[in-house]
Amino acid sequence: MAGKRGQRGGAAAPQAGEVAAQPAGGATGRTASAGAAWEYAPAPESREIVSISAEYGLFIDGDFGPAADGRQFPTINPATEEPLAQVALAGEADTGRAVTAARRAYERVWGSMPGAERAKYLYRIARILQERAREFAVLESIDNGKPIRESRDVDVPLAAAHFFYHAGWADKLEFAGLGPGSRADRAAAADGAGEPGPAGARGADGRAVPRPLGVAGQVIPWNFPLLMAAWKLAPALAAGNTCVLKPAETTPLTALLLAEVCQQADLPPGVVNVLTGAGGTGAALVGHPGVDKVAFTGSTEVGKEISRAVAGTGKRLTLELGGKAANVVFDDAPVDQAVEGIVNGIFFNQGHVCCAGSRLLVQESVADIVTERLRDRLAVLRLGDPLDKNTDIGAINSREQLDKITALSAAGEAEGAQRWSPPCPLPERGYWFPPTVFTGVSQSYRIAREEIFGPVLSVLTFRTPEEAVTKANNTPYGLSAGVWTEKGSRILWMAQRLRAGVVWANTYNRFDPASPFGGYRESGFGREGGRHGLAAYLDA
Ligand code: NDP
């Protein structure tokens, strides 16, 4: 196995140009306020709401059980390095069993179930997620390291919203304008050139319903473990597919709790299966001949491997990969609002966000004032215990990721950029990295080109809108971008020219289940969310 947990070691080593790690109470004490403006009393969320078992099994065919060969791996709390549980490591035999269970459930129950009935299960899952929201939020923060404020206010509500939204689609697929039953298809069929929908798959008014694909193999990363599970499962299930989900090695616990919710919702056995494990488990799932559709979110490197593995097999594929988004601030933007957007763009979820605004492009005439206000704002961000409700910046998810952020930041300094972090004591144990800003960044520097996936911002400047577009598009990625200006016409002008799947205007990191999300080029292909996201799970 990849053994990322095994590579986790002690606290972050002090970096050149930043303050040395000092005790800050660890994840059980006070949250370390970077600024001296206010002292915050600790406001920890109670851990008691979650009961973490010593061991977790695989979720196959409606039941939890050990891996066939009995192998396990540990999952730990990245804020404290405390071992949380031993989790089953799925091998090839387990993958085969899960795919077989999913196929059986697809053929016998789920694929032929009327959409209105499938909708009831999705709705039930959404309701249970809401009822158990606090439990999910605490568990996510413990296993992932993200602040409770974010898991409570973003991850869990959005996960429930995805199930609610897709529950609404399940009995309306013939109205989505996709595949058999769509307007175009019916017109073609009327000319004798098209194929009507499958016998028996007809909506209330006799329209043919687009067909599901079959068994979906879904591999997700560690940055939004529950939310990514919801992004994958909800549209697949609404469209009538069954699923085998592989969560990331470092964050398996909320996917397993979601499996428990599937049991609680009486979802028929085999409709959702969860295989925990490392990269090898993901590769076995993606390569299994019984999988009809592969959906992957993660690094561009692994996305390319998966593309190669799937090529020529006839499997459908969607890839949601990395990014190096430009957040563009014009001189007419309201500075304080833009600074909040910059902070949200790169420091939300410790910067472990594929669409993070990791390159700030600021118009030269306001560069000084924007960076000055940004420093003031960073000075009052609070880093520390993820379970403390005051915390803005939590722990880095793994030792491996911390090493990557550390190495890329060192490269930024070596290449000549100026590094700045607020005075920010780091807890003694766990994986921590202070919010960091690089100014004087040139487009050729690695910190301007590579996905750092951490709380590190590279600041570049521009003079004209044309230059902003050229610099923003100077990346192999194309996932997202932000524009800050008071002129609506300029927003539209920029949005037409930015080569990014999502462009936010005067806001950043806004997500909605009805809105398609996805990228171009090295950021992958296919969309998740909205009608476009459904298309990825239908024969359309
Ligand atoms: P990966 O792309 O390796 O992991 C994503 C998921 O794919 C995990 O479930 C992983 O399992 C699984 N996986 C790994 N190898 C394979 C394979 N060959 N076939 C099928 N599935 C596989 O991301 P990492 O966690 O290793 O992070 C590495 C870098 O990727 C980060 O530093 C970051 O830059 C970037 N990243 C980008 C994300 C994004 O959304 N854009 C998300 C996560 C990472 P396991 O966890 O067990 O290895």
Side-chain angles (χ1 to χ4, degrees):
M1 63 177 279
K4 277 178 209 163
R5 293 299 198 192
Q7 293 171 30
R8 291 173 164 184
Q15 308 302 308
E18 88 194 16
V19 289
Q22 297 164 22
T28 51
R30 294 177 83 93
T31 296
S33 171
W38 293 286
E39 270 303 317
Y40 282 80
E45 172 62 282
S46 167
R47 254 189 90 137
E48 302 310 309
I49 187 145
V50 174
S51 106
I52 300 179
S53 309
E55 294 189 350
Y56 285 89
L58 309 170
F59 184 65
I60 300 177
D61 211 10
D63 278 321
F64 289 95
D69 58 12
R71 284 196 297 164
Q72 292 182 318
F73 64 96
T75 185
I76 70 168
N77 179 341
T80 59
E81 301 171 57
E82 158 208 7
L84 295 170
Q86 288 289 327
V87 182
L89 176 68
E92 293 213 357
D94 307 298
T95 307
R97 212 156 59 77
V99 173
T100 303
R103 171 70 53 199
R104 201 167 40 233
Y106 174 68
E107 285 173 357
R108 295 195 187 160
V109 192
W110 198 253
S112 53
M113 185 184 281
E117 292 304 309
R118 287 200 306 273
K120 290 178 190 167
Y121 288 101
L122 288 168
Y123 187 74
R124 222 179 276 168
I125 292 171
R127 287 298 304 269
I128 299 171
L129 267 172
Q130 284 188 323
E131 282 160 18
R132 301 178 68 174
R134 202 166 146 217
E135 194 182 345
F136 270 100
V138 171
L139 187 61
E140 195 75 304
S141 284
I142 292 174
D143 201 24
N144 170 280
K146 64 174 69 199
I148 187 74
R149 224 161 40 85
E150 292 177 4
S151 46
R152 182 195 63 194
D153 298 347
V154 181
D155 298 57
V156 179
L158 268 179
H162 266 267
F163 280 100
F164 276 123
Y165 173 79
H166 287 95
W169 267 121
D171 64 345
K172 301 175 194 69
L173 297 175
E174 70 264 40
F175 302 106
L178 306 164
S182 70
R183 187 189 292 261
D185 182 78
R186 288 200 311 281
D191 291 344
E195 186 195 328
R202 294 194 173 269
D205 66 352
R207 290 195 216 203
V209 179
R211 281 165 287 195
L213 299 172
V215 175
Q218 305 174 313
V219 179
I220 56 171
W222 43 262
N223 52 344
F224 294 93
L226 175 70
L227 185 57
M228 287 303 108
W231 277 32
K232 295 281 179 283
L233 294 176
L237 298 179
N241 303 277
T242 54
C243 302
V244 182
L245 178 80
K246 207 296 273 178
E249 181 191 358
T250 57
T251 52
L253 297 186
T254 46
L256 292 168
L257 190 58
L258 185 59
E260 199 185 302
V261 167
C262 291
Q263 277 184 327
Q264 199 182 338
D266 278 333
L267 195 70
V271 173
V272 168
N273 305 272
V274 179
L275 291 178
T276 43
T281 307
L285 174 59
V286 164
H288 195 288
V291 167
D292 301 298
K293 147 88 189 171
V294 172
F296 172 77
T297 298
S299 61
T300 297
E301 190 191 352
V302 173
K304 286 179 180 172
E305 267 179 52
I306 291 177
S307 262
R308 282 192 287 270
V310 164
T313 62
K315 292 176 191 174
R316 292 271 294 271
L317 176 65
T318 41
L319 297 174
E320 202 267 274
L321 309 176
K324 192 73 193 174
N327 204 357
V328 185
V329 177
F330 284 95
D331 58 5
D332 61 346
V335 174
D336 290 332
Q337 223 173 299
V339 164
E340 282 309 304
I342 296 164
V343 169
N344 176 31
I346 184 63
F347 301 114
F348 168 62
N349 201 32
Q350 295 73 246
H352 301 329
V353 185
C354 48
C355 51
S358 52
R359 284 184 301 149
L360 170 63
L361 295 185
V362 57
Q363 200 153 15
E364 204 174 83
S365 51
V366 291
D368 287 346
I369 179 85
V370 169
T371 45
E372 190 190 312
R373 299 256 184 105
L374 184 60
R375 287 175 186 213
D376 289 348
R377 181 68 184 89
L378 294 191
V380 293
L381 287 183
R382 292 172 300 275
L383 175 149
D385 181 2
L387 285 184
D388 192 315
K389 293 169 206 148
N390 294 319
T391 295
D392 297 304
I393 300 193
I396 301 302
N397 179 250
S398 66
R399 156 64 63 189
E400 189 179 63
Q401 189 59 27
L402 178 59
D403 290 345
K404 180 180 169 184
I405 299 167
T406 304
L408 274 166
S409 299
E413 270 189 304
E415 285 180 307
Q418 288 84 56
R419 177 178 184 157
W420 181 86
S421 289
C424 183
L426 303 177
E428 268 183 334
R429 288 188 67 74
Y431 313 130
W432 304 93
F433 200 88
T436 299
V437 176
F438 280 100
T439 49
V441 177
S442 158
Q443 290 186 83
S444 60
Y445 293 176
R446 287 182 66 197
I447 52 169
R449 290 186 289 115
E450 296 180 30
E451 184 178 50
I452 301 175
F453 226 60
V456 181
L457 179 69
S458 299
V459 183
L460 298 95
T461 58
F462 67 90
R463 289 184 181 166
T464 63
E466 289 77 11
E467 188 187 349
V469 169
T470 306
K471 284 186 168 168
N473 289 340
N474 184 14
T475 168
Y477 295 108
L479 190 54
S480 59
V483 180
W484 297 83
T485 172
E486 67 166 16
K487 292 187 185 64
S489 57
R490 181 175 278 165
I491 289 170
L492 296 174
W493 189 90
M494 289 292 289
Q496 280 167 349
R497 287 161 180 77
L498 290 169
R499 300 204 46 197
V502 179
V503 179
W504 284 292
N506 293 327
T507 186
Y508 207 92
N509 275 338
R510 289 267 171 178
F511 305 99
D512 189 292
S515 175
F517 181 89
Y520 294 104
R521 303 197 284 171
E522 300 240 330
S523 293
F525 50 80
R527 296 292 179 264
E528 294 188 295
R531 204 175 59 82
H532 305 74
L534 275 178
Y537 288 97
L538 287 167
D539 195 2

